Amino acid sequence: MEEPTTLFSDEDLVDSLPAIDDERIQLEDPEFEMEPFLLGFEDTVRLGCCCPAKEEEVTAEKTKKATTKDRVQAFHLRKSLNLLDKLHEEKDLFIQKTRGELRVCHQRMDLLTKQQESLAAEIATEREANNMAAMGRLQAASRRLHTELENEKDLQSKITAMLKDSENAMWHIEIQKGLFEDVRKRNEEEAEARQRSLEIHAAQQLQKEKETLEKVERNRLLRARKSLHVQKELGLRHQKLVEDAQRNHRVAVKFLKASLGRVREREQKEEMESRRHMKRRMDAVLALKNNITASRETLKKFQAWGQSRAEVAKQKALTEKEVILAQGGDAFKDLFHQRRHQELEAQRRAFEEEQKLRKQEIVSRILKEEAEEEQRKKRQHPPSKTTDQWTLRDKTWKYISDFCEGKTAITTNHLLENEMALHPKLSCLLKVVSSESMQMDLGSISTEEEILAEPDIPGLWSKDYKSYQVSKEDMERKPVGGTKMDKDILARTMEQLRSGVVHKQVVSGREFKGRPFNSKPEVIHFKDFDIGKVYKKKITLINATYTINYCKLVGVEESLKDFIHIDFDPPGPMSAGMSCEVLVTFKPMINKDLEGNVSFLAQTGGFSVPLKCSTKKCSLSLDKELIDFGSYVVGETTSRIITLTNVGGLGTRFKFLLDSEFFEMEEHQPIMKMSSVFTYEDKSFYEKIINSLSEHQLDGDGSSPLDIPSRKESEKLDEAEVSAVASAMTMVPSEEQAEITLGEVTEGEIGPFSSIKVPIIFNPVIPGEVQTKFKVMFKNSHCPTLYFRATGIAVDVPVWVPRAIVDLKICMYDRLYQDSITVHTRSKAALRLKFEVCKELRGHIELLPETGYIQAQSSYSVQLKFLPRHSLPEDAGKYFDQDSRVLEAPMTIWVADQIKPVGFTVQAIVTTSDLEISPLEINFGYCTIYEAIRTEISLSNLSLLPQEFGFVGLPKYVDIQPNDGFGTILPLETLQLDVIFQPIKAKEYRFELVCKSEINRCFKVSCQAVGVHPPLELSHYQIKFSATALYGTTVSTLYVINSHLSMNKLIHSLPRIGSEEATPVGPTSFEFLLPPNSPITISPSVGTVLPGKRCLVQVAFQPVLPHETILEEAIHILNKETETKLFRKETTQRKEQWKQSLPVVRVHNRDRPTRVSTPHTQELQRQELSTSSNEYQAAQATLARTFQGKFDRFVVPCVVASGDIKDRKASEPLSFSPYNTLYLELWCPVVAPSIVVTSNEGKTVVNFGDIAVGHRGIKKITLQNISPEDLAFLVGVLSAESPWPLRSAKPLQKAMFWRDANPGAILLTPREHTATE
């Protein structure tokens, strides 16, 4: 046995301990960090074996604060002690194990020694027997035992040595533990001290936490009180705000009502104004109609007059030509001279008229000037210093007046010119309509000019001001520009002066010719200026001559002096190439273009710099005039951008529209609306109006004196045409849906130096080429209309689906439905298709495959899978109709390189597959094992499809009818099923009925019942009586059996109720409880049955007619007899009183039966009738004869109780259990009797009266066969004791045919003084 590795000597122990210290230890104390250091076992030993002096030092150090080194040493010390304890335990365990092995070794050695001794004895025995073979065998065994014994001895020595070494090591360990005993105790004391300090610290911490909790609670209460106070303040504030809001609301409502009243008044005024405006429009239309009518008639007249005059002139010319030809002259030459003479005469007359007009104009101007002069003198205008020098205020007012007049004229002229350009035929109509508005505008402008006239100096125009008297010298002053001679003198003088200043420049024999100074920029251009602002520009003048030159500012032109100011300091002599700057300041006062020159004078001659001042203008252009969309598939949508650019400084309003449309950008909307309402449908009549107006305008000079009689003689327009004009004034042309349309931005404002991008949308609908023309109109009259056109080609969709709607009919939830969808293509290349389901239905519908390739001019099939879930109504959303349960799911086929997808719709009516069973729980209650309980359940089909169903897995004691619980239920149908429960033994039943549909769905019904085994039983639980005639009797028998003999449940089942205790063995009583007024008799109805016995019970069925029915029939018979008697009596009276009128008799006769048949009389008769009365018996016979038969079913309960009825007291009832109840079912068919008694008014009782003894009485009776068959009846023999002896003892048998009545006799011979029945 090998020594384990844990067994080592003292040196090994000492050497192994420092290995633990070689590990680097890092403390986890968060207060400080330190580097680990090594601590050897020898240091630990020295620490444990320290002298008393060192112990005193350690004790002193305990009182001080523990240092980091002390903590590390304590940690290593505890680790060394733990290791030492572990080594001690292992060594102790090893020594015990070694000692056990040593004991085992001793036991084996003793056993081997004993075996050797026994072998030695056997060897001696065999040696004596001289059995060499056995002796050799035994010797071999002896040698083997000897070898084993030697081995055991060696093992013993080894184990002994090992045990000795282990004990030595154990001793050394114990010595080491003894050395560390003080240290161990000290560590334990320190641990206890630490534990106590921790407990104290925990108690202190707990106290602090309690104090903190109390403080927190106080703070919480304080916050709660504060929050409550804040809430109260907020409530008060909120209440105040609510009151303020209500008060403000009342005030606002008051003001709102007032405002609404004002708004309503304003709306009423506007409504009245609109009505007046509409009336004016209607009057204008009627006036237009009258003008058109008059113009047409006038034109017709002038046309006829012109034609007749032309024919007369032509006839005259032919006559003259014939005359000239007859005279032999030249007809052509004479005609030419005549026409030439006529033209000259016409020119002369025109010239004379023109001269007259000019003279009249000159005279009118002179008169006007004189009138203005007189008016000016009357108004006493202040004199001006010079007529040519205007003040700044006069110039400003002059500009404003000129600008207003010019704007009005421009606007009006532009309106007419634009209208003439767009619709030439409407120009006359517009002139007629807009003449009044133009006159009103001119009148308003003149009024404003008079109002705006004010003096430059306040008080200048007052009455106290004295006018300035002009002297004669000033009156005779020369004109401003001087005479012609003065101008010539001035020009010659200036030429002489310039000739002295300007001279030629010659350098190196070369004379300079050309512009002496160059200007940068070459043109001074002020663009897009605004009135009132100041603009400045600098120009640079560069000396372009050969040598030194001078430059002097001459000035600007007369037309620019009021707006242009030049700042120029002459620089003096300038060398060639030198430059100087000139500052030009422009202050515009009028809004119009200005042009001129800035003049300079150089040594070599004068030069000028052009100057331009341009107002803001619109410069509009389109980037393209043709938009080509190319080819696109029908249904796709594309757009192109056209850019409208304004490079001018003035913005304007624009509008894009079709070339065929008309729109006026001016503010004169009423005129333009009236002129643009004519549609192409009324083109013919519209052209008639325009032609008539144009002819009237052309011939206006000759047809102006229109007289009233000529208008009255003209024919009127047709009423249809007039209505067409009126409708044309109000209709708006409807725009047809175009394939090339404008985008959202069609009109707006374009600013200066900006651009607008307008989208043009191409949405092809019909295959083919499409072309549309557009135009851009502007509000600014100086901007011409821009035109462009767009073209595109629409190509039909290459991929289509033949079935646009895939109808899946009616589908159920959670059922898979599939269909195949075929896709066709007309493309000549293969296309990639992607089939997509709308995201709302991706969990219910699937198209497989999702992606595919369709070859050129072929078809492709895709599989549609429809598996509707119950969440379909919520998921589908708008695609599912909750009321009709119709699903219309759009499917999409995306084609590569095709924007418009191909769509089709999957349509289905989704219905549920639920079967509803009502009720879901059935309680059969208590039921005996001899009976069955039937209950009804309703099975409803909530689906729109028929479903097959079946109740499967039914227990043996349950049955479902009809068809054993199997069948087919139609859509929305409800079936009534019978569940029959018949227990087989007494216990509590709990089971489920499972109904499965054809799709394997299960619907369950929970059932419970209690089976009862009663102590008695019936031999028959159902009795079917044969057909019994009225007042006949049918008897049937049955037994009540008591089979309960012992309480041994192994022999037979014990009677009990459910799981209760069994009924004891003994006599058991029963009682049949008959229903009231039933024709059933049970005898005996009460009895007791002993164990193992049975009791015979007879059940008799005797049907009779109800007593109430017979009474009613009897009363009816009595009433009938009474009516007959009254009728006879009345007949007699009528014979006696034949003079009386018949109506009175009829009324009298009609009243009598009514009084007889009153309810009070019937009640009295009902009380007087008895069963023995003749009327009662007659009624009974009548009802029996007319009886049709009936069938009754009775269920008679038989209650059971333990005990004998004989043992009970008279007043003590038996304790019948309601659960141990047996039920007897009786089927009772009732038929009419075959034979009835017709004699003695149908009475079935023969009354002989009083007959003396020894005498005899004979009564005859008559029987009638009322059955539909022939009968054979038999009269039986009476008993010997009967008082009715028969004449012969042989029974009387006779055949009786249908409806036959046979008489018979009954003989009565009483033998004693008794009453006999």
Side-chain angles (χ1 to χ4, degrees):
M1 179 179 179
E2 295 182 358
E3 184 179 2
T5 57
T6 59
L7 187 61
F8 39 80
S9 61
D10 297 340
E11 294 79 342
D12 298 334
L13 179 62
V14 174
D15 294 339
S16 63
L17 287 174
I20 302 170
D21 301 329
D22 293 337
E23 300 176 358
R24 295 187 176 274
I25 302 169
Q26 182 160 358
L27 298 177
E28 298 178 358
D29 193 350
E31 296 178 0
F32 55 89
E33 294 182 358
M34 57 170 292
E35 294 182 359
F37 61 93
L38 300 176
L39 180 63
F41 184 74
E42 296 177 356
D43 298 335
T44 307
V45 174
R46 286 196 296 273
L47 183 62
C49 302
C50 60
C51 59
K54 291 184 178 180
E55 291 179 357
E56 292 177 358
E57 293 176 359
V58 171
T59 305
E61 289 177 356
K62 285 182 179 179
T63 59
K64 300 178 181 180
K65 187 178 179 180
T67 60
T68 304
K69 186 175 181 181
D70 294 338
R71 292 185 182 182
V72 174
Q73 288 179 357
F75 172 74
H76 284 285
L77 183 60
R78 287 195 300 271
K79 193 171 183 182
S80 301
L81 289 175
N82 293 335
L83 180 60
L84 195 60
D85 292 339
K86 186 176 181 182
L87 290 174
H88 184 272
E89 291 176 1
E90 290 179 356
K91 189 61 69 177
D92 189 10
L93 181 62
F94 182 71
I95 289 171
Q96 291 177 5
K97 186 176 180 182
T98 305
R99 287 175 181 173
E101 290 179 356
L102 186 59
R103 284 194 298 271
V104 172
C105 186
H106 283 302
Q107 291 175 2
R108 283 199 300 270
M109 289 177 66
D110 294 340
L111 181 59
L112 291 174
T113 303
K114 290 178 181 181
Q115 289 179 359
Q116 282 182 350
E117 290 176 358
S118 64
L119 285 175
E122 289 180 2
I123 289 171
T125 303
E126 293 297 334
R127 186 179 291 118
E128 291 176 0
N130 199 14
N131 187 355
M132 300 304 293
M135 189 176 61
R137 179 176 55 78
L138 292 174
Q139 288 177 356
S142 179
R143 287 192 296 273
R144 181 176 57 78
L145 290 175
H146 180 72
T147 304
E148 291 181 358
L149 185 60
E150 291 295 332
N151 292 335
E152 291 296 330
K153 288 180 180 180
D154 294 338
L155 180 61
Q156 182 182 1
S157 61
K158 291 181 180 179
I159 293 174
T160 303
M162 188 183 301
L163 181 60
K164 186 177 179 180
D165 294 338
S166 297
E167 289 176 352
N168 292 334
M170 187 68 176
W171 295 339
H172 285 289
I173 292 173
E174 288 178 354
I175 292 169
Q176 295 293 334
K177 289 181 67 177
L179 295 175
F180 285 100
E181 190 66 27
D182 296 337
V183 178
R184 186 187 302 276
K185 291 180 180 180
R186 188 165 61 252
N187 288 334
E188 291 177 357
E189 292 175 357
E190 291 177 356
E192 291 177 358
R194 284 196 301 273
Q195 184 66 26
R196 286 194 297 272
S197 64
L198 287 174
E199 291 176 356
I200 294 170
H201 179 71
Q204 295 175 355
Q205 190 70 21
L206 182 61
Q207 184 65 24
K208 290 180 180 179
E209 290 179 357
K210 288 181 180 178
E211 293 177 357
T212 305
L213 287 175
E214 291 177 357
K215 186 177 180 180
V216 169
E217 184 66 20
R218 288 196 300 272
N219 293 336
R220 186 184 65 79
L221 293 175
L222 183 60
R223 286 195 300 271
R225 287 195 293 270
K226 187 176 180 180
S227 63
L228 183 60
H229 180 68
V230 171
Q231 287 180 358
K232 288 181 180 179
E233 290 182 353
L234 289 176
L236 294 174
R237 190 182 303 169
H238 177 69
Q239 185 177 1
K240 184 178 179 182
L241 291 175
V242 169
E243 292 176 356
D244 294 342
Q246 291 177 355
R247 185 168 58 255
N248 295 334
H249 178 69
R250 289 192 293 270
V251 175
V253 167
K254 180 179 179 182
F255 283 105
L256 180 60
K257 289 181 179 178
S259 301
L260 289 177
R262 290 193 297 271
V263 170
R264 292 193 187 96
E265 290 177 0
R266 186 168 62 254
E267 290 179 353
Q268 291 177 359
K269 291 180 181 178
E270 292 177 355
E271 181 68 20
M272 295 298 295
E273 186 65 25
S274 64
R275 289 182 179 178
R276 286 194 294 270
H277 179 66
M278 184 60 66
K279 186 176 181 181
R280 287 196 300 269
R281 291 187 62 186
M282 294 172 64
D283 295 340
V285 171
L286 294 176
L288 177 63
K289 183 190 72 172
N290 296 330
N291 293 335
I292 291 171
T293 305
S295 301
R296 281 196 170 186
E297 296 303 323
T298 303
L299 290 175
K300 288 181 181 179
K301 286 185 177 182
F302 279 98
Q303 286 177 358
W305 178 71
Q307 289 177 1
S308 61
R309 188 173 57 181
E311 289 179 357
V312 170
K314 187 177 180 180
Q315 187 67 27
K316 183 178 179 181
L318 291 175
T319 305
E320 291 179 353
K321 185 178 180 180
E322 291 176 356
V323 171
I324 293 171
L325 290 174
Q327 294 177 359
D330 190 356
F332 178 77
K333 186 176 180 180
D334 292 339
L335 289 175
F336 176 76
H337 284 297
Q338 289 180 2
R339 290 178 181 175
R340 184 64 178 171
H341 180 70
Q342 292 175 0
E343 290 177 0
L344 292 174
E345 288 293 330
Q347 289 177 3
R348 185 180 60 80
R349 287 195 300 270
F351 179 73
E352 290 177 355
E353 290 178 359
E354 185 178 358
Q355 291 295 329
K356 291 179 181 180
L357 290 174
R358 286 181 180 179
K359 289 179 182 179
Q360 292 176 1
E361 184 178 357
I362 292 170
V363 172
S364 64
R365 285 182 181 179
I366 293 171
L367 294 175
K368 185 176 181 181
E369 289 176 358
E370 291 178 355
E372 289 178 355
E373 185 68 21
E374 290 178 358
Q375 187 177 6
R376 186 164 52 252
K377 289 180 179 180
K378 289 180 182 179
R379 291 182 180 178
Q380 297 180 356
H381 281 289
S384 59
K385 297 180 180 180
T386 56
T387 56
D388 294 337
Q389 294 181 358
W390 286 33
T391 63
L392 181 60
R393 186 178 183 88
D394 293 338
K395 293 179 180 179
T396 304
W397 284 116
K398 183 68 171 70
Y399 165 72
I400 292 172
S401 61
D402 293 343
F403 179 73
C404 293
E405 292 176 359
K407 181 177 179 180
T408 306
I410 290 171
T411 304
T412 308
N413 294 334
H414 169 66
L415 174 64
L416 296 175
E417 291 173 2
N418 196 9
E419 183 69 18
M420 286 289 289
L422 294 175
H423 296 278
K425 297 180 180 181
L426 285 175
S427 58
C428 302
L429 184 61
L430 290 175
K431 287 180 180 179
V432 173
V433 175
S434 62
S435 60
E436 296 180 0
S437 61
M438 292 171 65
Q439 292 175 4
M440 292 296 294
D441 294 340
L442 293 174
S444 63
I445 291 171
S446 61
T447 307
E448 290 178 359
E449 288 180 354
E450 293 176 2
I451 294 172
L452 290 175
E454 292 182 359
D456 292 338
I457 302 172
L460 188 62
W461 293 354
S462 62
K463 296 181 179 179
D464 298 336
Y465 177 77
K466 296 181 180 180
S467 60
Y468 175 76
Q469 299 295 329
V470 183
S471 61
K472 294 182 178 180
E473 296 178 357
D474 294 334
M475 291 294 292
E476 296 177 356
R477 187 181 57 185
K478 297 181 180 179
V480 177
T483 60
K484 186 176 181 182
M485 183 179 65
D486 294 338
K487 292 180 180 180
D488 293 340
I489 295 171
L490 180 61
R492 285 195 299 271
T493 305
M494 291 299 296
E495 184 69 22
Q496 291 175 1
L497 292 174
R498 288 176 182 174
S499 62
V501 175
V502 178
H503 56 83
K504 297 180 180 180
Q505 186 182 78
V506 179
V507 177
S508 301
R510 294 181 59 187
E511 182 183 355
F512 176 78
K513 293 181 180 181
R515 186 184 181 91
F517 282 84
N518 293 333
S519 173
K520 287 188 178 181
E522 296 182 356
V523 179
I524 306 172
H525 193 181
F526 292 96
K527 295 182 179 179
D528 305 326
F529 61 83
D530 292 327
I531 297 175
K533 293 185 179 180
V534 178
Y535 301 90
K536 295 182 179 181
K537 276 194 177 184
K538 283 186 179 182
I539 61 172
T540 302
L541 298 178
I542 303 172
N543 185 8
T545 59
Y546 300 147
T547 182
I548 296 174
N549 204 342
Y550 297 87
C551 183
K552 177 185 177 182
L553 175 64
V554 177
V556 295
E557 296 180 358
E558 290 292 332
S559 60
L560 300 177
K561 284 183 179 182
D562 294 334
F563 315 106
I564 302 298
H565 177 69
I566 307 297
D567 293 332
F568 177 70
D569 294 333
M574 299 174 59
S575 301
M578 296 300 289
S579 62
C580 62
E581 292 185 349
V582 180
L583 179 62
V584 182
T585 303
F586 173 51
K587 187 175 182 181
M589 302 300 292
I590 58 175
N591 189 22
K592 68 176 182 178
D593 295 340
L594 301 174
E595 289 188 6
N597 295 316
V598 180
S599 302
F600 295 91
L601 181 62
Q603 189 176 6
T604 56
F607 66 94
S608 62
V609 179
L611 187 143
K612 291 184 179 180
C613 301
S614 56
T615 59
K616 290 183 178 180
K617 297 182 178 64
C618 295
S619 180
L620 299 165
S621 63
L622 296 173
D623 60 342
K624 59 186 75 173
E625 295 183 356
L626 175 63
I627 299 176
D628 190 2
F629 287 95
S631 299
Y632 279 88
V633 179
V634 172
E636 295 182 352
T637 302
T638 184
S639 63
R640 296 286 189 272
I641 300 297
I642 186 169
T643 305
L644 176 64
T645 305
N646 183 12
V647 296
L650 181 63
T652 185
R653 186 170 184 83
F654 68 91
K655 182 175 179 63
F656 283 77
L657 65 162
L658 296 174
D659 189 21
S660 58
E661 296 179 359
F662 176 75
F663 186 81
E664 177 56 45
M665 299 297 293
E666 293 294 335
E667 297 179 356
H668 302 279
Q669 291 298 327
I671 299 175
M672 301 316 298
K673 288 181 180 178
M674 186 176 65
S675 62
S676 61
V677 294
F678 293 99
T679 59
Y680 291 102
E681 297 176 358
D682 304 326
K683 187 175 179 181
S684 60
F685 182 66
Y686 167 73
E687 289 179 352
K688 292 178 181 179
I689 298 173
I690 299 303
N691 291 333
S692 62
L693 286 175
S694 60
E695 292 173 0
H696 174 71
Q697 195 69 21
L698 290 174
D699 299 335
D701 296 337
S703 61
S704 57
L706 293 176
D707 53 347
I708 297 175
S710 63
R711 291 184 180 180
K712 291 182 179 179
E713 294 174 0
S714 61
E715 297 180 357
K716 297 182 179 180
L717 284 175
D718 192 1
E719 293 298 331
E721 294 181 354
V722 175
S723 61
V725 175
S727 62
M729 295 296 175
T730 56
M731 283 192 305
V732 178
S734 60
E735 298 181 358
E736 298 180 356
Q737 185 178 2
E739 298 183 6
I740 301 179
T741 58
L742 296 169
E744 296 181 356
V745 181
T746 58
E747 60 179 335
E749 294 284 343
I750 181 170
F753 308 105
S754 62
S755 61
I756 299 293
K757 293 184 178 181
V758 178
I760 308 299
I761 301 172
F762 179 40
N763 186 11
V765 178
I766 301 173
E769 185 176 0
V770 182
Q771 181 175 355
T772 306
K773 292 183 179 181
F774 297 93
K775 63 181 177 182
V776 189
M777 298 184 68
F778 304 98
K779 188 174 181 180
N780 194 333
S781 60
H782 298 286
C783 299
T785 302
L786 303 179
Y787 296 89
F788 67 95
R789 59 191 180 94
T791 60
I793 299 175
V795 183
D796 202 355
V797 180
V799 177
W800 80 95
V801 179
R803 288 194 301 168
I805 298 177
V806 179
D807 192 0
L808 298 178
K809 306 299 181 184
I810 302 177
C811 304
M812 288 184 177
Y813 287 110
D814 296 327
R815 300 290 292 172
L816 179 61
Y817 300 90
Q818 299 184 8
D819 197 355
S820 180
I821 300 169
T822 304
V823 183
H824 295 273
T825 179
R826 61 173 63 90
S827 176
K828 296 182 180 179
L831 298 175
R832 181 170 62 88
L833 306 179
K834 182 180 179 182
F835 301 92
E836 184 179 284
V837 183
C838 57
K839 63 180 181 180
E840 292 86 352
L841 299 172
R842 288 176 184 172
H844 309 273
I845 300 177
E846 187 177 5
L847 293 173
L848 296 177
E850 295 182 356
T851 305
Y853 288 87
I854 183 171
Q855 300 301 321
Q857 296 180 352
S858 63
S859 61
Y860 186 83
S861 180
V862 63
Q863 192 73 15
L864 170 66
K865 291 187 176 182
F866 180 44
L867 182 60
R869 313 289 185 185
H870 286 280
S871 61
L872 178 65
E874 291 78 14
D875 297 342
K878 62 181 179 179
Y879 304 120
F880 185 77
D881 189 0
Q882 295 282 356
D883 298 332
S884 62
R885 309 192 68 80
V886 175
L887 174 68
E888 293 182 353
M891 304 290 115
T892 307
I893 303 176
W894 294 95
V895 184
D897 301 332
Q898 180 177 324
I899 299 176
K900 182 185 178 183
V902 180
F904 64 94
T905 304
V906 177
Q907 183 174 339
I909 300 175
V910 185
T911 182
T912 181
S913 59
D914 293 343
L915 296 176
E916 185 179 9
I917 302 177
S918 178
L920 295 177
E921 295 182 359
I922 301 175
N923 188 0
F924 291 98
Y926 291 85
C927 180
T928 64
I929 61 175
Y930 304 120
E931 64 174 342
I933 295 180
R934 178 181 62 85
T935 184
E936 282 190 355
I937 62 173
S938 60
L939 180 65
S940 301
N941 183 12
L942 303 181
S943 174
L944 299 177
L945 293 174
Q947 297 190 72
E948 295 181 356
F949 69 93
F951 288 85
V952 297
L954 296 177
K956 295 180 180 179
Y957 45 80
V958 176
D959 187 19
I960 298 179
Q961 294 299 331
N963 297 329
D964 297 328
F966 291 87
T968 302
I969 184 170
L970 298 177
L972 305 176
E973 184 186 13
T974 300
L975 297 179
Q976 300 295 332
L977 302 177
D978 294 334
V979 181
I980 303 171
F981 171 70
Q982 185 175 9
I984 56 178
K985 60 181 179 179
K987 67 172 186 177
E988 294 183 358
Y989 291 88
R990 293 183 182 276
F991 56 92
E992 288 184 346
L993 303 179
V994 180
C995 176
K996 281 192 174 183
S997 61
E998 61 180 342
I999 60 174
N1000 203 24
R1001 291 196 64 189
C1002 296
F1003 306 92
K1004 297 181 180 181
V1005 180
S1006 300
C1007 303
Q1008 60 180 359
V1010 179
V1012 179
H1013 188 175
L1016 298 180
E1017 60 179 298
L1018 302 178
S1019 60
H1020 300 86
Y1021 291 93
Q1022 188 182 51
I1023 296 177
K1024 297 181 179 179
F1025 289 103
S1026 59
T1028 305
L1030 278 175
Y1031 301 101
T1033 303
T1034 304
V1035 180
S1036 180
T1037 60
L1038 59 91
Y1039 291 94
V1040 180
I1041 305 171
N1042 186 357
S1043 61
H1044 185 33
L1045 299 176
S1046 67
M1047 295 295 291
N1048 188 0
K1049 63 181 180 180
L1050 299 177
I1051 299 175
H1052 62 87
S1053 59
L1054 301 178
R1056 67 178 71 215
I1057 299 174
S1059 301
E1060 298 179 3
E1061 295 181 357
T1063 305
V1065 179
T1068 306
S1069 301
F1070 67 89
E1071 181 181 359
F1072 288 94
L1073 304 177
L1074 292 173
N1077 300 325
S1078 62
I1080 305 297
T1081 304
I1082 299 178
S1083 178
S1085 61
V1086 180
T1088 302
V1089 184
L1090 298 177
K1093 302 298 182 179
R1094 62 180 184 177
C1095 178
L1096 178 65
V1097 176
Q1098 289 185 349
V1099 182
F1101 172 51
Q1102 186 178 8
V1104 296
L1105 290 172
H1107 179 66
E1108 294 294 331
T1109 306
I1110 297 174
L1111 286 177
E1112 290 178 0
E1113 184 65 22
I1115 293 170
H1116 180 67
I1117 292 173
L1118 285 175
N1119 292 335
K1120 191 173 182 181
E1121 291 177 355
T1122 305
E1123 289 178 2
T1124 303
K1125 291 178 181 179
L1126 290 174
F1127 180 73
R1128 291 176 181 176
K1129 186 176 179 181
E1130 292 294 336
T1131 304
T1132 305
Q1133 292 178 358
R1134 188 169 56 251
K1135 290 180 180 179
E1136 294 176 355
Q1137 302 174 358
W1138 57 273
K1139 292 183 179 181
Q1140 297 180 1
S1141 61
L1142 185 61
V1144 176
V1145 176
R1146 287 182 179 179
V1147 172
H1148 186 67
N1149 291 337
R1150 193 175 295 132
D1151 295 339
R1152 290 290 180 87
T1154 305
R1155 290 195 296 269
V1156 171
S1157 60
T1158 56
H1160 181 65
T1161 307
Q1162 290 182 2
E1163 187 65 26
L1164 292 176
Q1165 291 177 356
R1166 185 184 296 272
Q1167 294 177 1
E1168 293 174 358
L1169 290 175
S1170 63
T1171 56
S1172 60
S1173 61
N1174 295 330
E1175 292 83 0
Y1176 187 89
Q1177 293 183 1
Q1180 184 176 0
T1182 303
L1183 292 175
R1185 185 184 297 273
T1186 61
F1187 186 73
Q1188 299 296 329
K1190 69 175 181 177
F1191 178 81
D1192 293 328
R1193 176 178 172 275
F1194 301 97
V1195 177
V1196 181
C1198 177
V1199 295
V1200 179
S1202 298
D1204 195 347
I1205 58 175
K1206 297 178 180 179
D1207 298 338
R1208 67 173 180 171
K1209 296 180 181 180
S1211 61
E1212 181 182 356
L1214 290 176
S1215 58
F1216 292 101
S1217 174
Y1219 307 128
N1220 285 327
T1221 303
L1222 303 175
Y1223 293 94
L1224 177 63
E1225 185 179 5
L1226 304 176
W1227 289 14
C1228 305
V1230 183
V1231 297
S1234 301
I1235 299 173
V1236 296
V1237 177
T1238 58
S1239 60
N1240 198 13
E1241 298 180 355
K1243 297 180 181 178
T1244 57
V1245 177
V1246 179
N1247 188 5
F1248 283 90
D1250 297 333
I1251 298 175
V1253 176
H1255 290 265
R1256 60 179 182 180
I1258 299 174
K1259 292 288 185 178
K1260 292 184 179 181
I1261 60 173
T1262 304
L1263 306 177
Q1264 184 180 4
N1265 180 11
I1266 61 174
S1267 66
E1269 299 176 354
D1270 297 336
L1271 299 177
F1273 66 94
L1274 178 66
V1275 179
V1277 180
L1278 299 177
S1279 62
E1281 298 178 354
S1282 175
W1284 287 282
L1286 295 178
R1287 295 178 180 177
S1288 63
K1290 184 178 180 180
L1292 177 62
Q1293 185 174 2
K1294 183 178 180 182
M1296 193 171 190
F1297 301 100
W1298 180 43
R1299 299 298 181 185
D1300 189 11
N1302 295 325
I1306 298 177
L1307 174 65
L1308 174 62
T1309 306
R1311 298 176 183 179
E1312 58 183 5
H1313 183 72
T1314 58
T1316 306
E1317 288 186 1

